[in-house]
Amino acid sequence: GENVEQHPSTLSVQEGDSAVIKCTYSDSASNYFPWYKQELGKGPQLIIDIRSNVGEKKDQRIAVTLNKTAKHFSLHITETQPEDSAVYFCAASIGSNAGNMLTFGGGTRLMVKP
Amino acid sequence: EADIYQTPRYLVIGTGKKITLECSQTMGHDKMYWYQQDPGMELHLIHYSYGVNSTEKGDLSSESTVSRIRTEHFPLTLESARPSHTSQYLCASSEWREEQFFGPGTRLTVL
């Protein structure tokens, strides 16, 4: 089955700096890659996703890049703010007709210091 | 904000008790999931359902059971809780090939 590795497990940055979280996946058939943000006491919430037919996607201060050849994808957060502090999860899915079964990475705890 | 609800939010019970964690969604999603989240953050899929009367076991073996009698409702039951069941339980739902919407979670502590 699919295996998703996520690094780093913790990341501390100064407010205004950029943060980068990287994930690798094992199944070359995976074609859907979402990123979730989990704040304290809440469930994960989708913040951005990318499908295998594109290499990069941006939404304001966040962007995701995908390298299908190397089987890795990354989350980039620019101009970090204290409210970006949370746990971030990457995931991968084959997205077959059987539905969207996600395999999650181990999570990254991001701390943005004011 | 996604309309998926979990009750209770927090539960502290003694060993051997039977418990049911409730999960409901009002989005009409066919697929629903239960994840167990350990203190180290990692999410483990323990059960999922494709629709009414469909239940499947996930990647992580669990002593819990689930049922799906109505589209909107996906309860998880532990017949006899043990301290090893202490964890955060997250419910989610999705349309086919779309994002998963998560509930706020139930933090279970078994003494």
Side-chain angles (χ1 to χ4, degrees):
Chain A
E2 176 66 279
N3 183 51
V4 178
E5 300 281 342
Q6 183 172 345
H7 300 280
S9 57
T10 59
L11 179 59
S12 182
V13 300
Q14 205 68 37
E15 182 178 0
D17 288 350
S18 295
V20 180
I21 303 170
K22 298 182 179 180
C23 290
T24 60
Y25 61 99
S26 61
D27 194 332
S28 57
S30 290
N31 59 11
Y32 174 63
F33 307 92
W35 286 88
Y36 285 81
K37 175 183 181 182
Q38 186 177 21
E39 297 176 324
L40 196 62
K42 297 183 179 180
Q45 184 174 9
L46 181 75
I47 55 171
I48 195 168
D49 57 12
I50 191 168
R51 297 188 187 271
S52 59
N53 56 345
V54 297
E56 183 175 1
K57 186 177 179 181
K58 286 184 179 179
D59 183 3
Q60 299 180 12
R61 294 187 298 108
I62 60 173
V64 58
T65 58
L66 171 65
N67 184 327
K68 283 211 72 180
T69 303
K71 291 190 284 188
H72 66 71
F73 56 113
S74 301
L75 177 72
H76 304 253
I77 306 174
T78 58
E79 300 172 25
T80 54
Q81 301 166 4
E83 50 265 38
D84 294 329
S85 296
V87 177
Y88 291 81
F89 292 96
C90 63
S93 167
I94 295 175
S96 69
N97 289 334
N100 189 11
M101 300 305 297
L102 295 176
T103 300
F104 285 89
T108 296
R109 189 177 302 278
L110 174 63
M111 293 169 283
V112 180
K113 295 179 286 186
Chain B
E1 192 155 325
D3 296 323
I4 181 163
Y5 309 98
Q6 290 186 243
T7 57
R9 293 293 316 276
Y10 303 91
L11 180 61
V12 181
I13 59 166
T15 297
K17 300 291 186 184
K18 177 180 179 178
I19 61 163
T20 296
L21 307 184
E22 302 288 350
C23 176
S24 295
Q25 50 96 5
T26 59
M27 297 171 282
H29 288 166
D30 285 323
K31 291 204 72 178
M32 295 190 75
Y33 317 78
W34 277 103
Y35 291 88
Q36 186 172 336
Q37 185 172 32
D38 52 22
M41 304 183 298
E42 198 160 351
L43 291 160
H44 299 284
L45 181 68
I46 52 175
H47 298 283
Y48 62 98
S49 168
Y50 292 123
V52 171
N53 294 325
S54 156
T55 61
E56 303 285 344
K57 290 191 179 295
D59 303 322
L60 181 68
S61 176
S62 174
E63 293 168 345
S64 59
T65 59
V66 293
S67 62
R68 190 88 183 276
I69 298 172
R70 303 198 316 265
T71 297
E72 63 271 21
H73 196 213
F74 191 40
L76 180 146
T77 298
L78 276 166
E79 290 292 332
S80 179
R82 297 206 302 269
S84 61
H85 296 138
T86 294
S87 190
Q88 164 104 319
Y89 292 86
L90 289 162
C91 179
S93 71
S94 72
E95 288 288 357
W96 295 93
R97 306 183 70 182
E98 294 295 334
E99 71 174 280
Q100 291 186 19
F101 294 89
F102 283 83
T106 294
R107 184 165 296 281
L108 172 65
T109 302
V110 184
L111 303 175

